[in-house]
Structures are given as C-alpha cells and as structure tokens.
Amino acid sequence: MELRHLNAFLAVAEELHFGRAAKRLQMAQPPLSQQIRQLEKELGVQLFRRNTRSVRLTSAGESFLEPVRTVLDDLDTAVRAARSAGRGEYGRVTIGFAGASSHETLPQLTRAVRAAHPGLELVMTGQTYANTALSRVADGSLDLGFVRLPVTRPGVAHRVIDEEELVCALPSDHPLARRGTVPLDVLVGEPFVSFPANSGSTVRDAMTEACESAGFTPRVVQEAPDSYTILALVAAGVGVTLTVTSVQHIQQNGLVYRPIAGPPIRLRAALAWRSDNPSAALRAVLAVAEEALPTPTQTPD
C-alpha cells in the first residue's frame, strides 16, 4: 500500500465522483480508477459502490475513511514539523553564560528568541566563564557562548555584541571611595577579591593584566564563583576588585564603583559558535541575535 493509494481513496471518498477527484489530484481519471482497484485488491474488500450515475462508500469504505484521514493528517504534521525544524523553528540550542555580566544581554536574546520561535528550546548553562564557554563551544559541548575577545580558537566564529570597561569596586568607607577616579598604582598592597584563578574568567585575567601593567600583581585574599558574591565581599570590607561596567546594576549598602584613571581598559563581549555547526536552530538564534543584540559602534582605543 502506497501513500498515493490513500490520497486517491480520500479524494474519491470526499468527492464521491471520480472525475472531480481526478481533477483535485491533478491526474487523469483512468489512473485514479486503477489506484482504487489496486487498493481494494490489497485490502480484499470493496470500498466503493459505483455505477454510471453515482459513487457511494461501502461499509468497509466508511470504516476505512477516518483512519485514512488520521494517517494523512499525522503525516502532514510530521512533514510540517520536519520543515519547521529545518528552518530552526523547533530544536534545541545550548548556551553558556556567566551570570551578572549577562544581566542585560541574555534576557534580551532569550525573550526575542521565544517571541520569534516559541517551539525552540534554549538550554542555559550558568557560571560558564568566558574562556570556559569558548572552550566548550570549540569542543562542541555548547552551541553558543557569551565570550570576550580575543576569540582565537580555530573553527569558532564570533560577533561582538557589547563593549565594557574595567571599573574599580570598593567598600564605601575606603579612603579611595572619596576620589572621582582610582589610579591603578595606588592599589598596590590592597587586598583583592576575585574569581578563582584558572576558572576561565576573562575578568580575572583582565584585572591581573591591568595591575601588572601598573607595576604590581594583585594580592587576592578571597575568591568567589560569581560577581554577586565578589561584590558582597567587597561591600563587607574584605577587599577591593576590578570588575566590568555591566555588573554595576548590583547595588548594595557598603559598595561603590569608581572609574579607573587614565585610558579606559575595554573588554569586548561577543557571541561565539562553531562555524561548522549544522544546527538550523542555532542559525535561527543567530539570526534573531542580529536584531536583539546588534554589534555596537566600536569606540576608538
């Protein structure tokens, strides 16, 4: 039994006229009649009573009609689902991000994706620091990662979505909190709070590089896994830290942010994905991201 036989049966059953059914199927009447005979032979029952004036369903034909409609409807649903998945309307995309620094960009992306493709599943993996996210995109365990430049992994494509600057976070009663800006060299000997070493945090790397450029290595006395905890420790007077402007939405008693004196130290945030990832769902997310998270105009260094 072939699909064409079922389509032929349904057309004749609904039209109760071979001529109209043939026209509906865009075929000649003799091949249509032949398909009905082949179907009846395979089933071993007569499906239609026909004469020169009328066509009627037999009891077997009436019993056969609804199951055939169900089969053809289910097949049509399956075809449409496959085509939708091929366009990225359905599927699954895994995204790695690091909490506070994605406070604005991540919700913008997820809301836009869900509005455009409600059947698409986003699987979010938090506390995935930028370097770790980049590594996991490169090895294929993540489809998409929030990372920071530079992106140098072979086969990994990226697009800049934001530009941030390093700022100094201080306890509000710290003497430096009274300054409008904080020169890095005055932080020599200060206790620092930061992300764990070798955690994959580009913020920790940028802090270390900035301090070393100012002539010293930051003395990290306390490590914490996320910006919320780090800044709570700063507010508690445990130490100071260098962080990024995107976390300044975290406001609490005992905490202040101050710009770093001198030329701004910029970090560019990006989305990264494997250029050979065949996922149509990923392509759909990237297309939405072009609108939801456009590349900003680059500030001259």
Coordinates of all heavy atoms in Angstrom, one line a residue, residues 17 49-55:
H17 N -17.1 11.3 -6.6 CA -17.1 11.5 -8.0 C -15.7 11.3 -8.5 O -14.8 12.0 -8.1 CB -17.7 12.9 -8.3 CG -18.0 13.1 -9.8 ND1 -17.0 13.3 -10.8 CD2 -19.2 13.1 -10.5 CE1 -17.6 13.4 -11.9 NE2 -18.9 13.3 -11.8
R49 N -19.2 1.6 -4.0 CA -20.2 1.1 -4.9 C -20.4 2.1 -6.0 O -20.7 3.3 -5.7 CB -21.5 0.8 -4.2 CG -21.5 -0.4 -3.3 CD -22.9 -0.8 -2.9 NE -22.9 -1.9 -2.0 CZ -22.8 -1.8 -0.6 NH1 -22.8 -0.6 -0.1 NH2 -22.8 -2.9 0.1
R50 N -20.1 1.8 -7.2 CA -20.1 2.8 -8.3 C -20.9 2.2 -9.5 O -20.8 1.0 -9.8 CB -18.7 3.2 -8.7 CG -17.7 2.0 -8.9 CD -16.4 2.5 -8.5 NE -15.3 1.6 -8.7 CZ -14.7 0.9 -7.8 NH1 -15.2 0.9 -6.5 NH2 -13.7 0.1 -8.1
N51 N -21.6 3.1 -10.1 CA -22.3 2.8 -11.4 C -22.1 4.1 -12.3 O -21.4 5.0 -11.9 CB -23.7 2.4 -11.2 CG -24.5 3.4 -10.4 OD1 -24.4 4.6 -10.6 ND2 -25.4 3.0 -9.5
T52 N -22.8 4.1 -13.3 CA -22.7 5.2 -14.3 C -23.2 6.5 -13.7 O -22.9 7.6 -14.2 CB -23.4 4.9 -15.6 OG1 -24.7 4.6 -15.3 CG2 -22.7 3.7 -16.3
R53 N -24.1 6.4 -12.7 CA -24.7 7.6 -12.1 C -24.2 8.1 -10.8 O -24.3 9.2 -10.4 CB -26.2 7.4 -12.0 CG -26.9 7.3 -13.4 CD -28.4 7.2 -13.2 NE -28.8 6.1 -12.4 CZ -29.0 4.9 -12.9 NH1 -28.7 4.6 -14.1 NH2 -29.3 3.9 -12.1
S54 N -23.6 7.2 -10.0 CA -23.2 7.6 -8.6 C -22.0 6.8 -8.1 O -21.7 5.7 -8.6 CB -24.4 7.4 -7.7 OG -24.8 6.1 -7.5
V55 N -21.4 7.3 -7.0 CA -20.3 6.6 -6.3 C -20.7 6.7 -4.8 O -21.0 7.8 -4.3 CB -19.0 7.3 -6.6 CG1 -17.9 6.6 -5.7 CG2 -18.6 7.2 -8.0

